[in-house]
């Protein structure tokens, strides 16, 4: 009887001691990151390949859509428990995206080297976002028993 | 009572190491990728300056973009490290739980 009580107390202790340092992995957020990154990649690649696609007015719809997605990702991450890392990445991505949009709006057309640089910068930002979300899968994965 | 503290502690340590081991290599590889990306971006910035697309007085603003990227990448690595730690600690706690279940 004493052993049973001891077992119950210890079990409760161990159960309550399962640690949680990161938020749970969210497949829909991961998918949204990939889709937004692809849209940005497509937009810059098209502008690099097709001069007619370069004016700001032609890309306005892409700017609206990507900014909406980035704001949506920021909002979703702000609502998650232990999601501060993802929030910071989204804030930085949004800051960069807005800066590039305003520059494009002001100049009308961006130079080729500048477009290549911005495509690479944004790609690095989305990579960070993807790595951050993907890492949460590791936390949830159980070791395979031999 | 069937509980060997030394054996359990060793098993917990093994579980912890096992959970960290494989992912630690991924994390180091990621840092290498990030450094290569930084090199590529700095080269593109230099080319844009050389081509006259970016003026010298605009360079600090572009270096600030690199700060934003590094901050984001550091956050990603931080989360990755925390996720690895979470998996490792919980694997060790699972071993402890299993050992406690065998107390009779």
């Amino acid at each position: 009887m004493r052993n049973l009580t001891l077992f119950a107390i210890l079990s409760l202790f161990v159960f309550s001691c399962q640690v949680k340092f990161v938020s749970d992995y969210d497949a829909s957020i991961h998918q949204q990151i990939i889709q937004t990154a692809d849209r940005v990649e497509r937009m810059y690649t098209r502008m690099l390949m097709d001069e007619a696609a370069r004016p700001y007015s032609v890309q306005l719809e892409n700017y609206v859509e990507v900014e909406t997605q980035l704001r949506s990702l920021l909002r979703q991450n702000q609502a998650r428990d232990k999601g501060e890392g993802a929030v910071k990445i989204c804030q930085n991505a949004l800051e960069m995206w807005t800066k590039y949009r305003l520059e494009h709006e002001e100049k009308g057309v961006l130079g080729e080297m500048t477009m290549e640089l911005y495509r690479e910068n944004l790609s690095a930002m989305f990579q960070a976002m993807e790595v951050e979300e993907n890492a949460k899968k590791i936390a949830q994965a159980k070791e395979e028993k031999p | 009572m069937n509980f060997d503290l030394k054996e359990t502690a060793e098993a917990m340590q093994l579980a912890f190491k096992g959970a960290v081991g494989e992912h630690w290599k991924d994390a180091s590889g990621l840092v290498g990728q990030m450094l290569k990306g930084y090199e590529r971006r700095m080269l593109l910035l230099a080319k844009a300056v050389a081509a006259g697309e970016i003026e010298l007085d605009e360079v600090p603003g572009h270096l600030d973009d690199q700060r934003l990227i590094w901050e984001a990448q550091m956050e990603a690595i931080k989360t990755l490290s925390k996720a690895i730690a979470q998996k490792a600690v919980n694997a060790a706690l699972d071993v402890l739980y299993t050992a406690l279940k065998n107390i009779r």
Side-chain angles (χ1 to χ4, degrees):
Chain A
M1 186 64 191
R2 230 181 74 191
N3 282 348
L4 212 65
T5 313
L6 179 69
F7 171 67
I9 292 168
L10 285 173
S11 299
L12 198 69
F13 171 75
V14 173
F15 269 132
S16 63
C17 276
Q18 285 284 301
V19 298
K20 188 174 178 175
F21 302 141
V22 297
S23 49
D24 291 338
Y25 170 74
D26 187 321
S28 68
I29 288 184
H30 193 182
Q31 197 53 35
Q32 194 176 351
I33 294 167
I34 293 170
Q35 281 170 355
T36 311
D38 284 351
R39 183 152 191 160
V40 171
E41 195 80 26
R42 209 163 27 245
M43 172 185 154
Y44 277 98
T45 305
R46 179 164 289 277
M47 285 199 289
L48 281 162
M49 291 169 75
D50 180 6
E51 281 191 36
R54 291 180 189 180
Y56 176 78
S57 55
V58 176
Q59 296 302 335
L60 189 59
E61 189 48 41
N62 277 325
Y63 277 118
V64 170
E65 187 53 34
V66 172
E67 190 161 328
T68 306
Q69 293 303 320
L70 286 174
R71 288 187 186 281
S72 158
L73 285 167
L74 175 62
R75 206 175 46 245
Q76 290 178 76
N77 282 315
Q78 280 169 333
R80 291 165 95 183
D81 179 34
K82 303 191 186 298
E84 58 282 347
V87 167
K88 178 69 183 160
I89 299 173
C90 285
Q91 282 170 337
N92 284 14
L94 196 56
E95 184 181 335
M96 182 180 271
W97 180 257
T98 310
K99 183 183 163 188
Y100 293 170
R101 178 178 65 74
L102 291 173
E103 185 187 334
H104 197 175
E105 186 179 22
E106 191 190 313
K107 291 183 175 168
V109 171
L110 298 171
E112 281 189 15
M113 290 295 162
T114 308
M115 284 189 279
E116 278 194 47
L117 174 65
Y118 290 0
R119 181 173 62 176
E120 198 71 24
N121 284 348
L122 287 160
S123 171
M125 201 60 101
F126 280 109
Q127 186 206 25
M129 226 181 267
E130 227 184 299
V131 166
E132 208 271 347
E133 190 57 48
N134 223 8
K136 293 162 188 164
K137 265 191 206 168
I138 293 173
Q140 282 172 285
K142 286 265 178 197
E143 281 295 299
E144 278 179 28
K145 301 259 186 307
Chain B
M1 198 112 140
N2 179 21
F3 182 76
D4 184 329
L5 182 62
K6 189 170 176 281
E7 197 181 292
T8 306
E10 278 170 6
M12 284 174 75
Q13 202 179 358
L14 269 177
F16 188 93
K17 277 185 184 168
V20 170
E22 55 185 299
H23 300 299
W24 202 247
K25 278 186 203 154
D26 298 346
S28 331
L30 187 66
V31 174
Q33 267 183 44
M34 287 171 175
L35 284 169
K36 279 194 181 135
Y38 178 66
E39 269 177 41
R40 247 190 340 264
R41 295 192 302 275
M42 293 312 283
L43 189 66
L44 282 171
L45 176 60
K47 280 183 181 174
V49 172
E53 282 183 22
I54 291 173
E55 299 294 332
L56 277 177
D57 62 350
E58 292 172 328
V59 170
H62 290 277
L63 292 177
D64 197 50
D65 292 345
Q66 299 310 311
R67 175 189 60 82
L68 290 176
I69 293 169
W70 275 117
E71 277 179 5
Q73 289 175 330
M74 289 307 109
E75 287 298 335
I77 289 173
K78 218 193 300 181
T79 301
L80 180 60
S81 310
K82 283 183 190 175
I84 294 170
Q86 180 175 323
K87 186 184 178 187
V89 172
N90 286 335
L93 285 173
D94 275 350
V95 170
L96 178 61
Y97 177 68
T98 308
L100 288 174
K101 265 204 307 196
N102 293 330
I103 297 179
R104 289 286 183 270

